[in-house]
Amino acid sequence: MRHITRKQLLDAPSDFRRNLVNSITGYKSLHLIGSQNRNGETNLAPFSQVFHIGATPPLIGILFRPHTVERHTLENILDTGYFTLNHVSSSFYKAAHQTAARYAVSEFKATGLEEVYLEDFPAPFVVPSQVKMGCYLVENQTLKVNDTVLVIGEIQHFWVAEKGLGFDGMLDLNVLDTVTVSGLDTYHIGKKLGRLSYPKPDQPIQEI
Amino acid sequence: MRHITRKQLLDAPSDFRRNLVNSITGYKSLHLIGSQNRNGETNLAPFSQVFHIGATPPLIGILFRPHTVERHTLENILDTGYFTLNHVSSSFYKAAHQTAARYAVSEFKATGLEEVYLEDFPAPFVVPSQVKMGCYLVENQTLKVNDTVLVIGEIQHFWVAEKGLGFDGMLDLNVLDTVTVSGLDTYHIGKKLGRLSYPKPDQPIQEI
């Protein structure tokens, strides 16, 4: 195996370090975040530092890069309190990637991804997304360790394509064609290996 | 599409809510965390709330459930400062799942996953893992919103199977056979759709 120390990583070219450390955690949870500013101008951008925080109440965490330059999505969330999380499908993952470009206009318009407002929720959803969540900001803090910003949102509304919701609440990400990202730019779909029974010390694991 | 409101989610059976909210963020970054207590007794457990925090220095975040009951991994990290992160491959994902059972002995022994110590790093690595990281605790805090515990570790050592490391630092997760998890119990491998060029407003996205 190849061994790389902390010092070698810090001495490596910044591209190498960025690619490695961004891909080192494995497959990441990709979402398009829809938001709008106080003037109703919309914004759409891809995020992969998105994670489950709790089920009761339903909380999602998102980590933003340091707020040292203009960050429309973060500013819109802090200003309005509302944002949407939208899964990416294989049919539009290239447009999803393209929303990260620095456009002067809304990324919805620029990339052709259609926006929609649902149930009077004050932030735009992505029409073709098979999983859509409307979230309200409940906490934000700047992590001392590197000035990244942790935003915690509570799910207010949730939409899923009917075929992808199991009777027990499990989403079937294969059926939903949900896309995952590694590093900054490499996209994948998932292929199920198995669903496993609850682990107990005295029982062998079984597929369920 | 099926629409579920916050209230419907909170009123739903707890199994349904737990399955849904744990699978709602999409594919998650699965890692086995190896640790040891002050007596050198080892522990191994699966975690999926693992995310990139920064590349310079190389920082990884892990979210732990509330520290209201005994949590060996968390306690070992807080006590010793050291832990390992190990990718899961399809050949041992069932054993990885089984490490979550409540064993009286080390999960390494109980599940047959072999442990190894590398470079005098004071926490055990998982022999068959194709990606192994030795991390040092740099920050921990309890999130007010639901008492989950955010641990931030800095990568001190990193090992990867040579075939999975690109010249530019990108890990090839397909080649490495890295496993991802959805919800609490459903495991997947990834299948690459494409790697895309840096997004710019005036240029079409290209596969690279």
Side-chain angles (χ1 to χ4, degrees):
Chain A
M1 291 185 99
R2 176 83 169 276
H3 176 211
I4 297 175
T5 64
R6 173 181 181 279
K7 179 166 190 320
Q8 288 168 337
L9 201 52
L10 291 174
D11 290 346
S14 64
D15 274 16
F16 183 94
R17 182 171 58 250
R18 189 177 62 238
N19 284 329
L20 180 55
V21 184
N22 272 284
S23 61
I24 218 166
T25 52
Y27 295 102
K28 300 186 290 183
S29 298
L30 175 66
H31 292 259
L32 285 171
I33 299 187
S35 63
Q36 61 178 35
N37 65 19
R38 287 177 182 165
N39 299 323
E41 293 164 334
T42 63
N43 192 274
L44 188 67
F47 288 83
S48 63
Q49 291 156 292
V50 178
F51 45 97
H52 169 83
I53 288 198
T56 313
L59 298 170
I60 309 284
I62 305 148
L63 199 64
F64 290 80
R65 289 194 294 172
H67 198 177
T68 48
V69 300
E70 206 173 33
R71 303 227 180 266
H72 290 144
T73 300
L74 179 56
E75 286 158 24
N76 289 349
I77 293 173
L78 297 179
D79 275 0
T80 69
Y82 292 96
F83 61 101
T84 72
L85 292 168
N86 306 269
H87 280 210
V88 174
S89 304
S90 62
S91 59
F92 64 93
Y93 83 97
K94 291 183 183 178
H97 184 73
Q98 185 69 14
T99 64
R102 295 187 173 277
Y103 288 110
V105 298
S106 168
E107 291 80 7
F108 283 103
K109 281 205 182 67
T111 64
L113 285 171
E114 199 182 343
E115 70 185 31
V116 63
Y117 288 85
L118 299 170
E119 294 281 332
D120 297 331
F121 191 80
F125 295 90
V126 177
V127 169
S129 288
Q130 299 295 292
V131 176
K132 302 175 172 78
M133 286 166 264
C135 297
Y136 184 69
L137 172 69
V138 291
E139 189 179 320
N140 82 89
Q141 60 164 293
T142 300
L143 299 184
K144 282 172 295 185
V145 80
N146 70 349
D147 290 335
T148 50
V149 178
L150 173 61
V151 163
I152 301 175
E154 185 174 339
I155 300 170
Q156 307 292 310
H157 290 280
F158 167 72
W159 286 266
V160 60
E162 196 77 50
K163 63 182 179 184
L165 178 63
F167 70 95
D168 60 353
M170 267 295 285
L171 296 188
D172 188 325
L173 301 179
N174 294 180
V175 165
L176 290 166
D177 191 34
T178 292
V179 170
T180 171
V181 67
S182 62
L184 297 165
D185 52 18
T186 306
Y187 297 86
H188 310 259
I189 51 170
K191 183 166 173 284
K192 181 174 166 179
L193 291 167
R195 184 174 185 184
L196 302 182
S197 56
Y198 189 84
K200 295 184 179 175
D202 53 351
Q203 286 176 17
I205 285 290
Q206 294 191 315
E207 293 199 29
I208 57 174
Chain B
M1 292 184 99
R2 175 82 169 275
H3 176 212
I4 298 175
T5 64
R6 174 182 182 278
K7 180 166 188 320
Q8 287 169 336
L9 201 52
L10 291 175
D11 290 345
S14 65
D15 275 15
F16 183 94
R17 182 171 59 250
R18 188 177 62 239
N19 284 329
L20 180 54
V21 183
N22 272 284
S23 61
I24 218 166
T25 53
Y27 295 102
K28 299 186 289 183
S29 297
L30 175 66
H31 293 258
L32 284 172
I33 299 187
S35 63
Q36 62 179 35
N37 65 19
R38 288 177 181 165
N39 299 324
E41 294 165 333
T42 62
N43 192 275
L44 188 67
F47 288 83
S48 62
Q49 290 156 292
V50 178
F51 46 97
H52 169 83
I53 288 197
T56 311
L59 299 170
I60 308 284
I62 305 148
L63 199 65
F64 291 81
R65 290 193 294 171
H67 198 176
T68 48
V69 299
E70 205 174 30
R71 303 228 179 265
H72 290 143
T73 300
L74 179 57
E75 286 158 25
N76 290 348
I77 293 173
L78 298 179
D79 275 359
T80 69
Y82 293 96
F83 61 101
T84 72
L85 292 169
N86 306 269
H87 280 210
V88 174
S89 305
S90 62
S91 60
F92 64 93
Y93 83 97
K94 291 182 182 178
H97 184 74
Q98 185 69 14
T99 64
R102 295 188 172 277
Y103 287 110
V105 298
S106 168
E107 291 80 8
F108 283 103
K109 282 207 181 65
T111 64
L113 286 170
E114 200 182 341
E115 70 185 31
V116 64
Y117 288 85
L118 299 170
E119 295 282 331
D120 297 330
F121 191 80
F125 295 89
V126 177
V127 168
S129 288
Q130 300 295 293
V131 175
K132 302 176 172 78
M133 287 167 263
C135 298
Y136 184 68
L137 173 68
V138 292
E139 187 179 321
N140 81 89
Q141 60 163 292
T142 300
L143 299 184
K144 282 172 294 186
V145 79
N146 70 350
D147 290 333
T148 50
V149 178
L150 173 61
V151 163
I152 301 175
E154 184 174 340
I155 301 171
Q156 308 292 311
H157 289 282
F158 167 72
W159 286 267
V160 59
E162 197 77 50
K163 63 183 179 184
L165 178 63
F167 70 95
D168 61 352
M170 267 294 286
L171 296 187
D172 188 325
L173 301 180
N174 293 179
V175 165
L176 290 165
D177 191 35
T178 292
V179 170
T180 171
V181 66
S182 62
L184 297 166
D185 53 16
T186 306
Y187 296 85
H188 309 258
I189 51 170
K191 183 166 173 283
K192 181 175 165 179
L193 291 168
R195 184 174 184 183
L196 302 182
S197 56
Y198 189 85
K200 295 182 178 176
D202 53 352
Q203 285 177 18
I205 284 290
Q206 295 191 315
E207 292 200 29
I208 55 174

